[in-house]
Amino acid sequence: QKEVEQDPGPLSVPEGAIVSLNCTYSNSAFQYFMWYRQYSRKGPELLMYTYSSGNKEDGRFTAQVDKSSKYISLFIRDSQPSDSATYLCAMSDSGGYNKLIFGAGTRLAVHP
Amino acid sequence: DVKVTQSSRYLVKRTGEKVFLECVQDMDHENMFWYRQDPGLGLRLIYFSYDVKMKEKGDIPEGYSVSREKKERFSLILESASTNQTSMYLCASSLTSGPEGGELFFGEGSRLTVL
């Protein structure tokens, strides 16, 4: 079993839809949770970062962490065609912040 | 803006060849990383470096080595390329190892095909 599970999709939604992207994990020591966005033929870039449990909002994006269920989510409101990308969840424990464990990535397509 | 530059975007090599993948960052970051990205497997850490001439194995170091002679440059070496090393290779850097400044900045990737 992988430490981090992420549905690869693809997920196709109409413009304006609310998108929910999710990851589950098995290591209860994970404390830092990140979402990276990767456009086609580009490297990933950090989108959201959350420490421990709770919610974090940044514009149209909301990251949620539920440590009791070992489940993290990224919500995108009012999705735009420019949101079309692969979204990678990543996480680490306190001992190795830079030693991230990545999910496989979910490919999202937002069509006009 | 931080820029991480990978010198080769696409390479085609033959089995048994020695392969060098070069990565340069221009923001004086302490930490540099090499990942490979494969469909369904996500990014997996090959090697990382916290300082010049310092290296640590990641999760999948077998078949790879690295070199960091200067702070800004981190090279990934495949001593004898094999077909199972066909992949996208991503270099990244970060300022620190903690949550503040620990964001990874990635290059655009080097797609290696080994025939």
Side-chain angles (χ1 to χ4, degrees), chain B residues 3 42 90 101 114:
Chain B
K3 193 163 177 69
L90 289 162
V114 182

Side-chain angles (χ1 to χ4, degrees), chain A residues 2-4 6 35-39 42-46 86-91 98-106, chain B residues 6 33-47 58-60 87-93 104-109 111:
Chain A
K2 295 180 187 175
E3 275 193 287
V4 178
Q6 184 176 11
W35 287 94
Y36 279 79
R37 178 176 61 195
Q38 184 176 22
Y39 290 115
K42 298 288 188 183
E45 55 181 354
L46 182 66
T86 296
Y87 291 81
L88 301 148
C89 63
M91 48 199 81
N98 276 172
K99 293 184 71 175
L100 296 176
I101 304 297
F102 282 85
T106 299
Chain B
Q6 295 182 232
F33 307 81
W34 276 106
Y35 288 86
R36 64 177 283 176
Q37 184 174 27
D38 300 288
L41 296 177
L43 276 72
R44 292 178 292 165
L45 182 63
I46 304 171
Y47 268 97
D59 299 317
I60 51 164
S87 186
M88 171 68 81
Y89 290 88
L90 289 162
C91 176
S93 71
L104 291 178
F105 292 87
F106 285 88
E108 294 195 325
R111 181 164 294 282

Side-chain angles (χ1 to χ4, degrees), chain B residues 50-68:
Chain B
Y50 285 150
D51 200 355
V52 175
K53 296 190 187 295
M54 177 276 177
K55 61 187 178 185
E56 285 196 32
K57 294 179 180 179
D59 299 317
I60 51 164
E62 297 78 19
Y64 303 95
S65 63
V66 290
S67 171
R68 195 169 181 198

Side-chain angles (χ1 to χ4, degrees), chain A residues 59-79:
Chain A
R60 296 184 295 109
F61 298 89
T62 300
Q64 281 188 353
V65 175
D66 182 348
K67 290 189 72 178
S68 62
S69 301
K70 298 190 181 70
Y71 189 88
I72 70 170
S73 300
L74 178 70
F75 297 96
I76 307 174
R77 290 185 300 280
D78 187 25
S79 56

Side-chain angles (χ1 to χ4, degrees), chain B residues 8-10 14-15 23-24 26 37 44 58 62-63 65 67 78 96 101 103 114:
Chain B
S8 303
R9 293 296 306 276
Y10 301 94
R14 298 217 172 265
T15 301
C23 175
V24 177
D26 66 357
Q37 184 174 27
R44 292 178 292 165
E62 297 78 19
S65 63
S67 171
L78 288 67
T96 70
E103 174 185 352
V114 182

